[in-house]
Amino acid sequence: MKKILSFSCTFIIVSLLFFGQSISAEVDMITVVYDELIEESIKESDEGIELLSTQSSPNSYQMIQSALLAGETEGQFDTTELAYLEVSQLILQVLQENPEIMYLHSWSAWSNGNMEFNYSIPTPLVQTNQQLLQAEINTVLASIIKPGFTDFDKVKAIHDYLALNTAYDYDNFLNDTVPADSYTAFGALINGIAVCDGYTKAAQILLDRLGIENHYVVGHSNGVLHSWNLVQLDGHFYFMDITWDDPVPNIPNYVDYSYFLIPADQLRNDHQWNEANWPTATSTTYSYFKELNSKIELDGYYYFSSNVDEDKLYKIAKDGTDKQQINDVRAPYFVISGDWIYFSNYSHGGYLFKMKTDGTALEELNTVHSTDLTIEGNMLSYLDNTTNQRNTLFLESVIDNPITPPTTPIGIVVDSDKMWTVTFSHKIDWTSISDNTVVVTSADGIPVAVTFNLDSTETKLLIHAPQSGYTTNTNYVLTIENVMSQTGQVQKAKKVHLFYVR
């Protein structure tokens, strides 16, 4: 969170035009810049912000909240509830509890109850972006929340979605050029780029929509202004810092859990905040997550390679009980299909192995250093670290004849001259397009000589079939990963498409 905060206060006698009426009177006024207020407030308390109680000013809270949620430039507060010098503390309360409010830059409050709001982007765009954000919230929740989810499942789904689909706006942070969007949930959920405030407010909005009690927390980390979430589950509070669980620079398909549902004792190691302003978090129920490296959920358990035991494979119940070692092998990369675990055996050269989920029937599948394993249907894909090429195995015949493709079509059925059009959200850096980032392989893992070009918008990648066309009655795999935008953002998630040529 890069926002630097202090506040300026000016008392004047004004003759002004407000709400369309001409007023001539002696009126005191305060003008406050949001960025400056937060830092000054935190400095004064060393750790956090003292907020005005909502209960003491319910009318003013509602009046300010309604105006800001609508992106209004004018508003009022109730002078019988509070003085104009107290309005800023109430506005901070409104902002911390309503993350849908975006882009507020500064405000002025008069002693007669009138207010003026200024935004960091044009007012019509504020209102448009608020509408777009609401639509995106609905889309995201529909995609990540499944029937039967517990509140824990919902919190974890939100944490993982934001870590996987948002990149920290690191270059702009370093250059002190962070745009307004990156401080908002709009930046995290729609642009996919944010600083800590964007991550925190996006999680807050999604949790609010699901009815899960949570709080926006602001303080410092490593001497820098920062924000994160506080979440209640089963009567206990836990801290969650999604920003710090998303690596910088961005690593596609990777989520850390070092700051997922942790107690205050653990967070105090590198975060500072005014603890009196928020509920206490003491439960260690989910502290086991910091041990999880690669992990897969199956039948109420997490299967994981251990951060504290040389990436050896374990499983643990989702409530943190019944931890068991599966087998004494090192497996930083693994996938599960049915009753089988397929993994890179770092106790044996990183070769591809498989074993039953109970750790029995250990078997070697190849003799190359294999990483970055993925499964689509019955197709296992892995990266050969020697050749830097992706290879494919079909799981139903992986032992008897691993390079024989099945006769059944898998994926989309296309013609032999099929041209793929892949649309990106930002203009593509053409230098990032290569045989390593955009790969078509046959079912036996042999690369196919496709060609690429960009359309005139530079957002669409066209992938042309080989000169002689694809072989008919054959399955293929299209893999797209680590493509970069012209602003240096790396593709957030690897895409694998299966197709069959008729």
Side-chain angles (χ1 to χ4, degrees):
M1 179 175 177
K2 180 78 170 65
K3 293 193 172 180
I4 310 294
L5 308 137
S6 102
F7 81 90
S8 59
C9 176
T10 306
F11 301 91
I12 61 174
I13 297 176
V14 296
S15 175
L16 70 160
L17 183 67
F18 203 83
F19 291 106
Q21 298 178 348
S22 182
I23 304 173
S24 247
E26 291 187 358
V27 182
D28 290 328
M29 183 193 84
I30 182 173
T31 296
V32 178
V33 177
Y34 175 60
D35 280 4
E36 298 174 352
L37 175 59
I38 302 288
E39 181 69 29
E40 189 65 28
S41 299
I42 290 180
K43 285 180 179 177
E44 289 176 359
S45 67
D46 291 328
E47 294 176 319
I49 303 171
E50 295 295 335
L51 300 175
L52 197 63
S53 170
T54 304
Q55 289 74 21
S56 68
S57 312
N59 291 334
S60 297
Y61 184 100
Q62 190 277 327
M63 295 161 74
I64 293 170
Q65 178 193 47
S66 297
L68 292 176
L69 283 173
E72 301 288 348
T73 58
E74 297 174 344
Q76 288 183 301
F77 65 94
D78 188 341
T79 58
T80 67
E81 292 182 335
L82 73 164
Y84 74 104
L85 291 176
E86 299 175 297
V87 170
S88 292
Q89 297 306 99
L90 184 61
I91 289 177
L92 290 181
Q93 184 82 15
V94 172
L95 293 175
Q96 290 197 12
E97 295 177 355
N98 297 272
E100 299 93 337
I101 298 170
M102 302 184 292
Y103 309 111
L104 184 64
H105 174 263
S106 63
W107 56 86
S108 298
W110 282 260
S111 55
N112 63 3
N114 291 333
M115 298 194 68
E116 182 178 285
F117 304 112
N118 297 294
Y119 301 91
S120 55
I121 66 174
T123 304
L125 188 56
V126 172
Q127 298 165 344
T128 297
N129 285 0
Q130 286 175 332
Q131 295 171 359
L132 292 173
L133 177 62
Q134 292 304 316
E136 184 65 15
I137 291 168
N138 295 334
T139 300
V140 169
L141 290 177
S143 69
I144 67 174
I145 304 302
K146 307 303 180 185
F149 265 21
T150 65
D151 281 353
F152 164 78
D153 294 326
K154 295 172 184 176
V155 171
K156 183 177 175 297
I158 290 170
H159 172 277
D160 292 358
Y161 179 85
L162 290 172
L164 288 171
N165 293 279
T166 308
Y168 191 83
D169 199 353
Y170 190 58
D171 289 341
N172 279 322
F173 173 78
L174 292 179
N175 296 325
D176 199 22
T177 55
V178 177
D181 279 352
S182 291
Y183 292 108
T184 69
F186 185 94
L189 291 173
I190 295 181
N191 294 341
I193 301 172
V195 291
C196 65
D197 244 15
Y199 286 84
T200 301
K201 291 174 180 176
Q204 185 183 6
I205 287 176
L206 296 171
L207 291 166
D208 285 347
R209 186 68 71 86
L210 296 174
I212 297 173
E213 182 177 348
N214 70 98
H215 302 270
Y216 170 101
V217 183
V218 63
H220 284 96
S221 59
N222 294 335
V224 177
L225 193 64
H226 188 49
S227 69
W228 57 93
N229 301 99
L230 180 68
V231 181
Q232 186 188 59
L233 287 173
D234 299 322
H236 299 283
F237 283 95
Y238 303 88
F239 287 106
M240 179 171 71
D241 190 342
I242 303 176
T243 309
W244 279 36
D245 277 343
D246 192 11
V248 176
N250 193 54
I251 301 176
N253 303 312
Y254 179 79
V255 182
D256 193 12
Y257 292 95
S258 298
Y259 295 86
F260 177 64
L261 300 181
I262 62 174
D265 283 350
Q266 187 174 336
L267 192 67
R268 288 190 197 105
N269 292 332
D270 39 39
H271 290 57
Q272 302 81 44
W273 68 104
N274 187 342
E275 298 190 34
N277 283 349
W278 288 278
T280 303
T282 58
S283 175
T284 59
T285 297
Y286 301 104
S287 293
Y288 71 87
F289 265 88
K290 66 179 180 291
E291 183 179 343
L292 276 59
N293 188 0
S294 300
K295 67 159 188 57
I296 294 173
E297 181 181 344
L298 179 68
D299 298 332
Y301 281 80
Y302 288 118
Y303 289 74
F304 67 95
S305 53
S306 173
N307 281 325
V308 298
D309 191 16
E310 299 181 309
D311 286 321
K312 292 181 180 178
L313 275 178
Y314 286 80
K315 73 174 184 178
I316 190 170
K318 290 172 63 177
D319 63 1
T321 62
D322 196 25
K323 178 181 174 183
Q324 306 172 37
Q325 186 180 74
I326 297 173
N327 193 305
D328 192 31
V329 293
R330 297 174 57 212
Y333 304 94
F334 73 96
V335 291
I336 298 177
S337 179
D339 295 331
W340 292 93
I341 301 174
Y342 299 86
F343 64 99
S344 307
N345 190 345
Y346 273 50
S347 298
H348 195 87
Y351 296 172
L352 184 64
F353 274 65
K354 77 168 187 175
M355 65 181 172
K356 291 284 192 179
T357 51
D358 63 2
T360 63
L362 186 69
E363 190 165 354
E364 182 179 306
L365 301 181
N366 72 13
T367 56
V368 299
H369 184 187
S370 308
T371 62
D372 195 16
L373 278 58
T374 61
I375 285 183
E376 292 285 339
N378 65 341
M379 186 177 291
L380 171 65
S381 172
Y382 64 91
L383 181 69
D384 181 336
N385 271 30
T386 302
T387 64
N388 205 31
Q389 297 292 325
R390 294 202 70 83
N391 295 326
T392 303
L393 297 176
F394 287 91
L395 301 185
E396 73 273 21
S397 59
V398 69
I399 300 303
D400 298 332
N401 190 3
I403 65 171
T404 300
T407 57
T408 303
I410 297 176
I412 300 172
V413 178
V414 301
D415 294 329
S416 61
D417 60 350
K418 170 68 177 177
M419 182 188 76
W420 295 97
T421 300
V422 182
T423 302
F424 291 80
S425 58
H426 296 78
K427 289 186 176 181
I428 303 167
D429 177 1
W430 175 248
T431 63
S432 71
I433 305 299
S434 70
D435 292 340
N436 293 324
T437 58
V438 182
V439 184
V440 176
T441 62
S442 57
D444 57 5
I446 298 176
V448 177
V450 295
T451 56
F452 326 109
N453 68 284
L454 297 179
D455 77 341
S456 58
T457 69
E458 299 183 76
T459 62
K460 294 183 178 180
L461 176 64
L462 309 180
I463 305 171
H464 301 275
Q467 187 172 6
S468 58
Y470 294 107
T471 302
T472 57
N473 303 316
T474 303
N475 287 296
Y476 290 90
V477 184
L478 167 62
T479 303
I480 306 166
E481 58 184 331
N482 297 326
V483 173
M484 295 182 63
S485 72
Q486 293 181 8
T487 56
Q489 299 296 328
V490 181
Q491 175 186 345
K492 291 178 288 188
K494 178 173 63 180
K495 301 298 182 183
V496 179
H497 300 280
L498 311 181
F499 63 99
Y500 175 83
V501 178
R502 57 190 162 202

